[in-house]
Amino acid sequence: MNRLSITVVLGLLALGCAQLGNRQPGCDSPEAEEAAFAAQDYLNAQHAHGYKYALNRIEDIKILTKPNADDIYIVEVDLLETDCHVLDPTPVANCTVRPKALTSVEGDCDVVLKRVGGVLTVTAFKCKTEESTEDLCLGCPTLLPLNDTKALNFVHASLATFNNNTVNTTYSLLEVGRMSTQIVSGGPRYLAEYVIVEANCTDEVCVPLNDVTASRGICTAKDFGAAHTVDCKMFSVMVPPQDANSTGGSHVFPSTQNMTRKHVLRHHKLTALHDPHATGLLSSESASESAEVVSVATPAVVNATAPAPTADTSSASISGEVPVAVVKRDVPDTPATVTDPVLLIAPCPGRVRFF
């Protein structure tokens, strides 16, 4: 290849690279929050078990741009588990995030979105779900595996109590949301949350109705040793509204048969990975650069009363120090004004919404 050909090829490569753009808006900017909330809603729509998650913090965001192509958003978000089950039609904004004392569950997700026709669409995501072990108090409830035998016996006993006080309808267990135990005087006490569904019962054998019109609700049961309480709230809407960004079909209701797969878990996890087009844009681990702190720039204070320095070139040849260039200037009549320090705010990560 001659020199002219090499020059042309390098020029074309440089032109192609110049067309690629990489923007990083602030993590609390409207553009970043739009992408983060779109990611939150999409992840909740794909979550078939457990509870909805609320946005806690935007850790990082990058926008890849290219002429005549859709912008690609890569956003890293921190989510916190709420007390709203995925079948609960309550908007996430109206759900309560679980406090740390009740063992909060955190989701760390990298999400890839594409803006098509002005609408952000999720194309890939990767999530890691973990319990928060911070600020756990002595004597606070601790989570149990979702198949703990004694806790499940308590769940069935409390459901029987609810059915005995219900007229014309019998309910079956659909899914255990979470179970925990608290050590008090007299022994352990159980707390449980579980989802129930209307059942068809014949000769004391009940079969859950697999119908979108079947009544569903969530129950909270508390153990007091010799007695227990159970409070159930029925969902007003049977089928959660599908997000326009969802690529899935109708919502799949969880089944108690699926619980055997989750025997070692103490909480339900977000879907771990979804990258059907092998985008290659999901990192192998969460970005750590967003945690860096930008130092505060403090302006220098000018001493207006000091005599003006004079240039002395002779000392430069004698001293072993690096010579310093000195510029002579007039002393102002009034002292220089000292301005307040300017705080340089890092664009990312964003603000913490809960804890």
Side-chain angles (χ1 to χ4, degrees):
M1 183 181 294
N2 58 39
R3 183 174 300 178
L4 178 60
S5 300
I6 294 175
T7 303
V8 172
V9 171
L10 292 177
L12 291 174
L13 290 175
L15 179 61
C17 293
Q19 291 177 341
L20 295 175
N22 187 342
R23 291 195 298 116
Q24 186 172 13
C27 278
D28 289 329
S29 65
E31 193 171 19
E33 291 194 341
E34 179 190 7
F37 282 116
Q40 168 200 271
D41 294 341
Y42 182 89
L43 292 172
N44 282 327
Q46 305 305 308
H47 191 32
H49 298 272
Y51 301 88
K52 297 179 182 179
Y53 284 74
L55 176 66
N56 185 44
R57 192 181 201 185
I58 304 173
E59 290 288 346
D60 196 15
I61 181 171
K62 293 182 179 65
I63 302 176
L64 307 180
T65 61
K66 188 176 182 180
N68 303 321
D70 300 318
D71 290 348
I72 297 176
Y73 291 66
I74 305 174
V75 59
E76 180 185 349
V77 293
D78 286 345
L79 307 171
L80 290 175
E81 185 188 71
T82 70
D83 61 358
C84 290
H85 194 269
V86 291
L87 298 184
D88 189 339
T90 303
V92 179
N94 297 338
C95 298
T96 302
V97 169
R98 294 188 188 277
K100 291 185 177 182
L102 296 180
T103 312
S104 59
V105 179
E106 303 174 354
D108 181 11
C109 298
D110 296 335
V111 185
V112 179
L113 307 94
K114 181 182 293 186
R115 187 179 291 278
V116 181
V119 179
L120 285 172
T121 303
V122 173
T123 60
F125 66 82
K126 181 190 67 177
C127 290
K128 179 177 64 176
T129 315
E130 296 179 327
E131 292 178 33
S132 174
T133 57
E134 299 178 3
D135 301 334
L136 292 181
C137 62
L138 184 63
C140 288
T142 57
L143 289 182
L144 293 171
L146 294 175
N147 72 333
D148 183 270
T149 302
K150 293 182 178 180
L152 283 177
N153 290 338
F154 168 66
V155 166
H156 289 289
S158 64
L159 178 56
T161 299
F162 178 74
N163 280 327
N164 290 336
N165 291 278
T166 304
V167 180
N168 298 329
T169 305
T170 302
Y171 294 91
S172 291
L173 178 65
L174 180 62
E175 175 180 278
V176 175
R178 60 161 45 198
M179 300 187 297
S180 58
T181 183
Q182 185 175 18
I183 304 301
V184 296
S185 59
R189 297 290 182 264
Y190 295 104
L191 298 91
E193 296 178 15
Y194 53 91
V195 177
I196 57 175
V197 59
E198 184 180 354
N200 181 19
C201 298
T202 304
D203 297 331
E204 298 184 356
V205 177
C206 295
V207 178
L209 295 179
N210 188 20
D211 193 302
V212 293
T213 62
S215 299
R216 292 173 173 83
I218 188 166
C219 299
T220 302
K222 297 181 180 180
D223 177 26
F224 295 98
H228 59 257
T229 62
V230 56
D231 178 36
C232 297
K233 181 187 73 172
M234 307 311 295
F235 301 141
S236 57
V237 179
M238 297 303 101
V239 182
Q242 276 292 315
D243 184 79
N245 193 21
S246 174
T247 58
S250 59
H251 192 95
V252 178
F253 292 109
S255 169
T256 52
Q257 296 177 352
N258 295 331
M259 295 304 302
T260 55
R261 298 184 295 105
K262 302 175 179 294
H263 60 91
V264 297
L265 300 181
R266 308 201 308 173
H267 58 83
H268 295 281
K269 292 179 176 287
L270 289 165
T271 303
L273 179 64
H274 174 76
D275 192 5
H277 303 293
T279 62
L281 298 174
L282 296 173
S283 61
S284 58
E285 59 183 4
S286 300
S288 58
E289 292 80 8
S290 59
E292 293 180 357
V293 178
V294 178
S295 58
V296 178
T298 305
V301 178
V302 179
N303 187 353
T305 59
T310 58
D312 185 1
T313 59
S314 61
S315 61
S317 60
I318 300 174
S319 172
E321 299 178 355
V322 178
V324 179
V326 180
V327 180
K328 184 176 180 180
R329 59 183 176 83
D330 297 333
V331 178
D333 296 333
T334 58
T337 303
V338 179
T339 59
D340 294 330
V342 177
L343 179 64
L344 300 180
I345 302 177
C348 288
R351 65 184 177 91
V352 177
R353 289 165 170 77
F354 299 102
F355 51 79

